[in-house]
Amino acid sequence: MSSVIEDIMTRKIFNSRGEETLEIDIVTTAGFGRASAPAGASKGKAEVVPYPEGGVDEAIKKAEELIVPELIGMDANEQEEIDILLHEIDGTKDFRNVGGNTAFAVSLATAEAAATSYDMPLFQHLAGYLANELPYPLGNVLGGGKHALGKAPDIQEYLVIPLKAPTFSDAAKANILVHQKVGSSLKKADKTFTGGRGDEGAWAPNMKNEEALEIVVKACEEVSRELGVECRAGLDMAASTLWKQKEKCYVYTRDGIKRDSGEQLDFVLHLVEDYNLAYVEDPFHEEDYESFAELTKKVKKCLICGDDLFVTNRERLIRGIKVCAANSIIIKANQVGTLTDAWETTKMAKKTRYIPVVSHRSGETSDAHIAHLAVAFSCPVIKTGVLHGERVVKINELIRIEETLGNRAEMSIFDL
Ligand code: PGA
Ligand code: ZN
């Protein structure tokens, strides 16, 4: 059998923020898989624990002692069995023993090792011949919050999505153009702007929250006219990072404004309506399912997406579905640990017509697996940065997937 696991290597590497992270290599009889784990800066409280006490060194020790001996001799094709085994070896609810990032890297390296054992691209190994839809890229062009310093806006991410782009390559180009136009406008608006960018390659200007949105929306409109696509703006408010539990309000330091939950709802509604937003992620803190539901009820033609709210966790998603908290969910496999867990949550989202958005994290490596997951899971949207090598590798991998699919390639059927 080509996909029998013969060897596993573990190592410590660095991510795009220079933090230590874990990389796993899996060698099968005829294949090889390598995966490394990303890291969040604005993590949800209900995510799995990324590393055991002792960090990456301890994670490597535990992987060598507890995971490697169990997996050698298994078939990499048995993804679900291996993911279940990772849970059993860990023995906790949140992977705090071996580390969620250890489970993630082993799980993804297994999938890739199985795919290469049979000379298949990962997306086809996971989803079969019929997987042919490319996602729309949702790209971060301007930002602040926990991904930048100084006087950048409080809102973490100002995003763009090029709806109606005929191909993935066209869509990627549209996002790059918006990023460039935003850069030029910022230089005009602020002579002291240094061209600084945050963790995900988005411009990090000294600017108030709504002023920044005006610039992004204007750039979207210009690119829409020039390319004949429909570029629309979105936001990741990462509101848990703005929420002060003691004062029960959202603090916008840059603007010198505090908003209680009702005022936050009015503010977000004003942004969605007046700027024709296509997407708003985490507009409220991670336990406020009720305000999420209020907003979702009131908006039209806009995705309301839960990231810290759901943390790719099926149970939290089900809780959200029951109260109609949102209509979209971020899928970050390392928030739950394994590929199988991420797929189970994605399946639940699809059944209930929540739009799944496969996503990068703010601390990334050159690992491009999320490109394959977006196609394999048939996700209409992929959230990854527009610039910086560790973001562009995901975009470039999707361009290659589009080429592999040839005339079978289609953009996802997705309209707002
Ligand atoms: P992260 O968050 O910093 O936890 O990766 C990015 C996001 O909120 O989407
Ligand atoms: Zn987010």
Side-chain angles (χ1 to χ4, degrees), residues 256-281:
I257 292 176
K258 293 180 181 179
R259 295 184 171 95
D260 65 21
S261 297
E263 289 164 340
Q264 176 78 352
L265 177 64
D266 291 342
F267 177 55
V268 179
L269 267 174
H270 147 68
L271 297 180
V272 171
E273 284 163 10
D274 292 356
Y275 296 94
N276 189 26
L277 299 185
Y279 179 90
V280 182
E281 181 178 326

PDB file of all heavy atoms in Angstrom, residues 256-281:
ATOM      1  N   GLY A 256     -11.811  57.968  20.485  1.00  0.00           N
ATOM      2  CA  GLY A 256     -12.217  58.492  21.789  1.00  0.00           C
ATOM      3  C   GLY A 256     -13.700  58.305  22.050  1.00  0.00           C
ATOM      4  O   GLY A 256     -14.383  59.183  22.579  1.00  0.00           O
ATOM      5  N   ILE A 257     -14.226  57.135  21.631  1.00  0.00           N
ATOM      6  CA  ILE A 257     -15.682  56.878  21.762  1.00  0.00           C
ATOM      7  C   ILE A 257     -15.905  55.540  22.459  1.00  0.00           C
ATOM      8  O   ILE A 257     -15.169  54.571  22.220  1.00  0.00           O
ATOM      9  CB  ILE A 257     -16.352  56.842  20.360  1.00  0.00           C
ATOM     10  CG1 ILE A 257     -16.335  58.230  19.720  1.00  0.00           C
ATOM     11  CG2 ILE A 257     -17.782  56.305  20.433  1.00  0.00           C
ATOM     12  CD1 ILE A 257     -16.884  58.272  18.305  1.00  0.00           C
ATOM     13  N   LYS A 258     -16.922  55.485  23.331  1.00  0.00           N
ATOM     14  CA  LYS A 258     -17.338  54.206  23.914  1.00  0.00           C
ATOM     15  C   LYS A 258     -18.771  53.935  23.465  1.00  0.00           C
ATOM     16  O   LYS A 258     -19.581  54.861  23.397  1.00  0.00           O
ATOM     17  CB  LYS A 258     -17.306  54.279  25.438  1.00  0.00           C
ATOM     18  CG  LYS A 258     -15.910  54.419  26.001  1.00  0.00           C
ATOM     19  CD  LYS A 258     -15.925  54.481  27.514  1.00  0.00           C
ATOM     20  CE  LYS A 258     -14.495  54.658  28.002  1.00  0.00           C
ATOM     21  NZ  LYS A 258     -14.387  54.755  29.441  1.00  0.00           N
ATOM     22  N   ARG A 259     -19.050  52.671  23.150  1.00  0.00           N
ATOM     23  CA  ARG A 259     -20.405  52.327  22.717  1.00  0.00           C
ATOM     24  C   ARG A 259     -20.924  51.144  23.535  1.00  0.00           C
ATOM     25  O   ARG A 259     -20.221  50.130  23.633  1.00  0.00           O
ATOM     26  CB  ARG A 259     -20.435  51.947  21.233  1.00  0.00           C
ATOM     27  CG  ARG A 259     -20.072  53.074  20.297  1.00  0.00           C
ATOM     28  CD  ARG A 259     -20.204  52.686  18.834  1.00  0.00           C
ATOM     29  NE  ARG A 259     -20.060  53.867  17.981  1.00  0.00           N
ATOM     30  CZ  ARG A 259     -18.916  54.250  17.403  1.00  0.00           C
ATOM     31  NH1 ARG A 259     -17.818  53.521  17.556  1.00  0.00           N
ATOM     32  NH2 ARG A 259     -18.868  55.349  16.677  1.00  0.00           N
ATOM     33  N   ASP A 260     -22.140  51.273  24.091  1.00  0.00           N
ATOM     34  CA  ASP A 260     -22.724  50.094  24.743  1.00  0.00           C
ATOM     35  C   ASP A 260     -23.279  49.178  23.643  1.00  0.00           C
ATOM     36  O   ASP A 260     -23.207  49.522  22.452  1.00  0.00           O
ATOM     37  CB  ASP A 260     -23.770  50.502  25.799  1.00  0.00           C
ATOM     38  CG  ASP A 260     -24.988  51.189  25.197  1.00  0.00           C
ATOM     39  OD1 ASP A 260     -25.237  51.014  23.977  1.00  0.00           O
ATOM     40  OD2 ASP A 260     -25.700  51.896  25.926  1.00  0.00           O
ATOM     41  N   SER A 261     -23.868  48.037  24.029  1.00  0.00           N
ATOM     42  CA  SER A 261     -24.268  47.053  23.003  1.00  0.00           C
ATOM     43  C   SER A 261     -25.265  47.628  22.003  1.00  0.00           C
ATOM     44  O   SER A 261     -25.163  47.370  20.798  1.00  0.00           O
ATOM     45  CB  SER A 261     -24.866  45.815  23.662  1.00  0.00           C
ATOM     46  OG  SER A 261     -23.883  45.227  24.450  1.00  0.00           O
ATOM     47  N   GLY A 262     -26.219  48.405  22.489  1.00  0.00           N
ATOM     48  CA  GLY A 262     -27.221  49.011  21.605  1.00  0.00           C
ATOM     49  C   GLY A 262     -26.580  49.995  20.645  1.00  0.00           C
ATOM     50  O   GLY A 262     -26.894  50.028  19.450  1.00  0.00           O
ATOM     51  N   GLU A 263     -25.679  50.804  21.192  1.00  0.00           N
ATOM     52  CA  GLU A 263     -24.997  51.793  20.327  1.00  0.00           C
ATOM     53  C   GLU A 263     -24.097  51.103  19.302  1.00  0.00           C
ATOM     54  O   GLU A 263     -23.969  51.553  18.170  1.00  0.00           O
ATOM     55  CB  GLU A 263     -24.175  52.758  21.189  1.00  0.00           C
ATOM     56  CG  GLU A 263     -25.047  53.715  21.979  1.00  0.00           C
ATOM     57  CD  GLU A 263     -24.311  54.407  23.120  1.00  0.00           C
ATOM     58  OE1 GLU A 263     -23.256  53.918  23.575  1.00  0.00           O
ATOM     59  OE2 GLU A 263     -24.832  55.435  23.586  1.00  0.00           O
ATOM     60  N   GLN A 264     -23.508  49.989  19.721  1.00  0.00           N
ATOM     61  CA  GLN A 264     -22.667  49.225  18.789  1.00  0.00           C
ATOM     62  C   GLN A 264     -23.530  48.680  17.643  1.00  0.00           C
ATOM     63  O   GLN A 264     -23.145  48.742  16.476  1.00  0.00           O
ATOM     64  CB  GLN A 264     -21.980  48.070  19.555  1.00  0.00           C
ATOM     65  CG  GLN A 264     -21.155  47.121  18.704  1.00  0.00           C
ATOM     66  CD  GLN A 264     -19.775  47.654  18.311  1.00  0.00           C
ATOM     67  OE1 GLN A 264     -19.459  48.814  18.556  1.00  0.00           O
ATOM     68  NE2 GLN A 264     -18.972  46.803  17.711  1.00  0.00           N
ATOM     69  N   LEU A 265     -24.714  48.186  17.987  1.00  0.00           N
ATOM     70  CA  LEU A 265     -25.633  47.681  16.960  1.00  0.00           C
ATOM     71  C   LEU A 265     -25.988  48.800  15.966  1.00  0.00           C
ATOM     72  O   LEU A 265     -25.916  48.598  14.741  1.00  0.00           O
ATOM     73  CB  LEU A 265     -26.905  47.111  17.621  1.00  0.00           C
ATOM     74  CG  LEU A 265     -27.998  46.616  16.683  1.00  0.00           C
ATOM     75  CD1 LEU A 265     -27.535  45.421  15.858  1.00  0.00           C
ATOM     76  CD2 LEU A 265     -29.261  46.239  17.456  1.00  0.00           C
ATOM     77  N   ASP A 266     -26.323  49.970  16.493  1.00  0.00           N
ATOM     78  CA  ASP A 266     -26.669  51.102  15.609  1.00  0.00           C
ATOM     79  C   ASP A 266     -25.482  51.485  14.733  1.00  0.00           C
ATOM     80  O   ASP A 266     -25.645  51.767  13.545  1.00  0.00           O
ATOM     81  CB  ASP A 266     -27.085  52.329  16.440  1.00  0.00           C
ATOM     82  CG  ASP A 266     -28.411  52.091  17.139  1.00  0.00           C
ATOM     83  OD1 ASP A 266     -29.140  51.165  16.725  1.00  0.00           O
ATOM     84  OD2 ASP A 266     -28.704  52.816  18.113  1.00  0.00           O
ATOM     85  N   PHE A 267     -24.295  51.490  15.330  1.00  0.00           N
ATOM     86  CA  PHE A 267     -23.084  51.871  14.587  1.00  0.00           C
ATOM     87  C   PHE A 267     -22.829  50.887  13.439  1.00  0.00           C
ATOM     88  O   PHE A 267     -22.611  51.289  12.290  1.00  0.00           O
ATOM     89  CB  PHE A 267     -21.893  51.909  15.557  1.00  0.00           C
ATOM     90  CG  PHE A 267     -20.571  52.213  14.910  1.00  0.00           C
ATOM     91  CD1 PHE A 267     -20.392  53.355  14.146  1.00  0.00           C
ATOM     92  CD2 PHE A 267     -19.478  51.357  15.076  1.00  0.00           C
ATOM     93  CE1 PHE A 267     -19.158  53.651  13.553  1.00  0.00           C
ATOM     94  CE2 PHE A 267     -18.245  51.634  14.486  1.00  0.00           C
ATOM     95  CZ  PHE A 267     -18.090  52.784  13.718  1.00  0.00           C
ATOM     96  N   VAL A 268     -22.915  49.595  13.736  1.00  0.00           N
ATOM     97  CA  VAL A 268     -22.631  48.591  12.698  1.00  0.00           C
ATOM     98  C   VAL A 268     -23.691  48.665  11.598  1.00  0.00           C
ATOM     99  O   VAL A 268     -23.368  48.607  10.405  1.00  0.00           O
ATOM    100  CB  VAL A 268     -22.548  47.163  13.297  1.00  0.00           C
ATOM    101  CG1 VAL A 268     -22.270  46.136  12.208  1.00  0.00           C
ATOM    102  CG2 VAL A 268     -21.463  47.079  14.368  1.00  0.00           C
ATOM    103  N   LEU A 269     -24.953  48.854  12.000  1.00  0.00           N
ATOM    104  CA  LEU A 269     -26.020  48.979  10.994  1.00  0.00           C
ATOM    105  C   LEU A 269     -25.777  50.173  10.080  1.00  0.00           C
ATOM    106  O   LEU A 269     -25.935  50.087   8.857  1.00  0.00           O
ATOM    107  CB  LEU A 269     -27.370  49.156  11.690  1.00  0.00           C
ATOM    108  CG  LEU A 269     -28.168  47.886  11.935  1.00  0.00           C
ATOM    109  CD1 LEU A 269     -29.408  48.185  12.758  1.00  0.00           C
ATOM    110  CD2 LEU A 269     -28.560  47.219  10.610  1.00  0.00           C
ATOM    111  N   HIS A 270     -25.357  51.281  10.686  1.00  0.00           N
ATOM    112  CA  HIS A 270     -25.039  52.479   9.889  1.00  0.00           C
ATOM    113  C   HIS A 270     -23.908  52.156   8.894  1.00  0.00           C
ATOM    114  O   HIS A 270     -23.988  52.511   7.711  1.00  0.00           O
ATOM    115  CB  HIS A 270     -24.672  53.617  10.844  1.00  0.00           C
ATOM    116  CG  HIS A 270     -23.637  54.565  10.318  1.00  0.00           C
ATOM    117  ND1 HIS A 270     -23.877  55.417   9.266  1.00  0.00           N
ATOM    118  CD2 HIS A 270     -22.345  54.796  10.700  1.00  0.00           C
ATOM    119  CE1 HIS A 270     -22.783  56.132   9.028  1.00  0.00           C
ATOM    120  NE2 HIS A 270     -21.824  55.763   9.871  1.00  0.00           N
ATOM    121  N   LEU A 271     -22.875  51.441   9.350  1.00  0.00           N
ATOM    122  CA  LEU A 271     -21.757  51.116   8.452  1.00  0.00           C
ATOM    123  C   LEU A 271     -22.230  50.216   7.308  1.00  0.00           C
ATOM    124  O   LEU A 271     -21.893  50.437   6.138  1.00  0.00           O
ATOM    125  CB  LEU A 271     -20.616  50.436   9.218  1.00  0.00           C
ATOM    126  CG  LEU A 271     -19.921  51.243  10.315  1.00  0.00           C
ATOM    127  CD1 LEU A 271     -18.803  50.421  10.975  1.00  0.00           C
ATOM    128  CD2 LEU A 271     -19.343  52.555   9.777  1.00  0.00           C
ATOM    129  N   VAL A 272     -23.017  49.191   7.642  1.00  0.00           N
ATOM    130  CA  VAL A 272     -23.485  48.242   6.610  1.00  0.00           C
ATOM    131  C   VAL A 272     -24.322  48.985   5.570  1.00  0.00           C
ATOM    132  O   VAL A 272     -24.128  48.804   4.364  1.00  0.00           O
ATOM    133  CB  VAL A 272     -24.314  47.097   7.251  1.00  0.00           C
ATOM    134  CG1 VAL A 272     -24.991  46.251   6.178  1.00  0.00           C
ATOM    135  CG2 VAL A 272     -23.434  46.225   8.140  1.00  0.00           C
ATOM    136  N   GLU A 273     -25.239  49.821   6.053  1.00  0.00           N
ATOM    137  CA  GLU A 273     -26.165  50.481   5.115  1.00  0.00           C
ATOM    138  C   GLU A 273     -25.489  51.597   4.327  1.00  0.00           C
ATOM    139  O   GLU A 273     -25.622  51.678   3.109  1.00  0.00           O
ATOM    140  CB  GLU A 273     -27.385  51.016   5.882  1.00  0.00           C
ATOM    141  CG  GLU A 273     -28.327  49.873   6.248  1.00  0.00           C
ATOM    142  CD  GLU A 273     -29.317  50.231   7.336  1.00  0.00           C
ATOM    143  OE1 GLU A 273     -29.421  51.414   7.705  1.00  0.00           O
ATOM    144  OE2 GLU A 273     -29.981  49.294   7.835  1.00  0.00           O
ATOM    145  N   ASP A 274     -24.734  52.432   5.004  1.00  0.00           N
ATOM    146  CA  ASP A 274     -24.182  53.611   4.315  1.00  0.00           C
ATOM    147  C   ASP A 274     -22.960  53.291   3.461  1.00  0.00           C
ATOM    148  O   ASP A 274     -22.605  54.075   2.580  1.00  0.00           O
ATOM    149  CB  ASP A 274     -23.855  54.711   5.332  1.00  0.00           C
ATOM    150  CG  ASP A 274     -25.118  55.269   5.937  1.00  0.00           C
ATOM    151  OD1 ASP A 274     -26.208  54.849   5.502  1.00  0.00           O
ATOM    152  OD2 ASP A 274     -25.041  56.112   6.846  1.00  0.00           O
ATOM    153  N   TYR A 275     -22.307  52.174   3.726  1.00  0.00           N
ATOM    154  CA  TYR A 275     -21.129  51.825   2.913  1.00  0.00           C
ATOM    155  C   TYR A 275     -21.353  50.552   2.098  1.00  0.00           C
ATOM    156  O   TYR A 275     -20.422  49.987   1.565  1.00  0.00           O
ATOM    157  CB  TYR A 275     -19.884  51.694   3.811  1.00  0.00           C
ATOM    158  CG  TYR A 275     -19.512  52.998   4.475  1.00  0.00           C
ATOM    159  CD1 TYR A 275     -19.968  53.293   5.758  1.00  0.00           C
ATOM    160  CD2 TYR A 275     -18.738  53.938   3.810  1.00  0.00           C
ATOM    161  CE1 TYR A 275     -19.651  54.504   6.359  1.00  0.00           C
ATOM    162  CE2 TYR A 275     -18.410  55.150   4.402  1.00  0.00           C
ATOM    163  CZ  TYR A 275     -18.875  55.423   5.688  1.00  0.00           C
ATOM    164  OH  TYR A 275     -18.561  56.620   6.272  1.00  0.00           O
ATOM    165  N   ASN A 276     -22.584  50.074   2.061  1.00  0.00           N
ATOM    166  CA  ASN A 276     -22.947  48.909   1.255  1.00  0.00           C
ATOM    167  C   ASN A 276     -22.006  47.719   1.537  1.00  0.00           C
ATOM    168  O   ASN A 276     -21.501  47.073   0.616  1.00  0.00           O
ATOM    169  CB  ASN A 276     -22.898  49.302  -0.234  1.00  0.00           C
ATOM    170  CG  ASN A 276     -23.472  48.225  -1.123  1.00  0.00           C
ATOM    171  OD1 ASN A 276     -24.318  47.434  -0.699  1.00  0.00           O
ATOM    172  ND2 ASN A 276     -22.983  48.146  -2.365  1.00  0.00           N
ATOM    173  N   LEU A 277     -21.785  47.447   2.821  1.00  0.00           N
ATOM    174  CA  LEU A 277     -20.839  46.380   3.175  1.00  0.00           C
ATOM    175  C   LEU A 277     -21.377  45.014   2.779  1.00  0.00           C
ATOM    176  O   LEU A 277     -22.568  44.735   2.892  1.00  0.00           O
ATOM    177  CB  LEU A 277     -20.547  46.395   4.681  1.00  0.00           C
ATOM    178  CG  LEU A 277     -19.911  47.661   5.258  1.00  0.00           C
ATOM    179  CD1 LEU A 277     -19.574  47.454   6.748  1.00  0.00           C
ATOM    180  CD2 LEU A 277     -18.653  48.057   4.491  1.00  0.00           C
ATOM    181  N   ALA A 278     -20.478  44.150   2.324  1.00  0.00           N
ATOM    182  CA  ALA A 278     -20.859  42.788   1.935  1.00  0.00           C
ATOM    183  C   ALA A 278     -20.585  41.807   3.069  1.00  0.00           C
ATOM    184  O   ALA A 278     -21.048  40.663   3.028  1.00  0.00           O
ATOM    185  CB  ALA A 278     -20.062  42.358   0.709  1.00  0.00           C
ATOM    186  N   TYR A 279     -19.829  42.257   4.086  1.00  0.00           N
ATOM    187  CA  TYR A 279     -19.311  41.292   5.057  1.00  0.00           C
ATOM    188  C   TYR A 279     -18.970  42.009   6.364  1.00  0.00           C
ATOM    189  O   TYR A 279     -18.281  43.039   6.335  1.00  0.00           O
ATOM    190  CB  TYR A 279     -18.038  40.674   4.453  1.00  0.00           C
ATOM    191  CG  TYR A 279     -17.338  39.662   5.317  1.00  0.00           C
ATOM    192  CD1 TYR A 279     -17.659  38.308   5.246  1.00  0.00           C
ATOM    193  CD2 TYR A 279     -16.329  40.053   6.207  1.00  0.00           C
ATOM    194  CE1 TYR A 279     -16.992  37.383   6.031  1.00  0.00           C
ATOM    195  CE2 TYR A 279     -15.663  39.120   6.997  1.00  0.00           C
ATOM    196  CZ  TYR A 279     -16.001  37.793   6.894  1.00  0.00           C
ATOM    197  OH  TYR A 279     -15.346  36.863   7.672  1.00  0.00           O
ATOM    198  N   VAL A 280     -19.454  41.473   7.474  1.00  0.00           N
ATOM    199  CA  VAL A 280     -19.018  41.973   8.786  1.00  0.00           C
ATOM    200  C   VAL A 280     -18.732  40.771   9.694  1.00  0.00           C
ATOM    201  O   VAL A 280     -19.607  39.937   9.932  1.00  0.00           O
ATOM    202  CB  VAL A 280     -20.078  42.871   9.472  1.00  0.00           C
ATOM    203  CG1 VAL A 280     -19.530  43.382  10.810  1.00  0.00           C
ATOM    204  CG2 VAL A 280     -20.456  44.046   8.599  1.00  0.00           C
ATOM    205  N   GLU A 281     -17.505  40.702  10.160  1.00  0.00           N
ATOM    206  CA  GLU A 281     -17.097  39.600  11.039  1.00  0.00           C
ATOM    207  C   GLU A 281     -16.989  40.100  12.482  1.00  0.00           C
ATOM    208  O   GLU A 281     -16.502  41.213  12.719  1.00  0.00           O
ATOM    209  CB  GLU A 281     -15.732  39.092  10.532  1.00  0.00           C
ATOM    210  CG  GLU A 281     -15.146  37.926  11.311  1.00  0.00           C
ATOM    211  CD  GLU A 281     -13.815  37.481  10.681  1.00  0.00           C
ATOM    212  OE1 GLU A 281     -13.648  37.543   9.443  1.00  0.00           O
ATOM    213  OE2 GLU A 281     -12.920  37.078  11.457  1.00  0.00           O
TER     214      GLU A 281
END
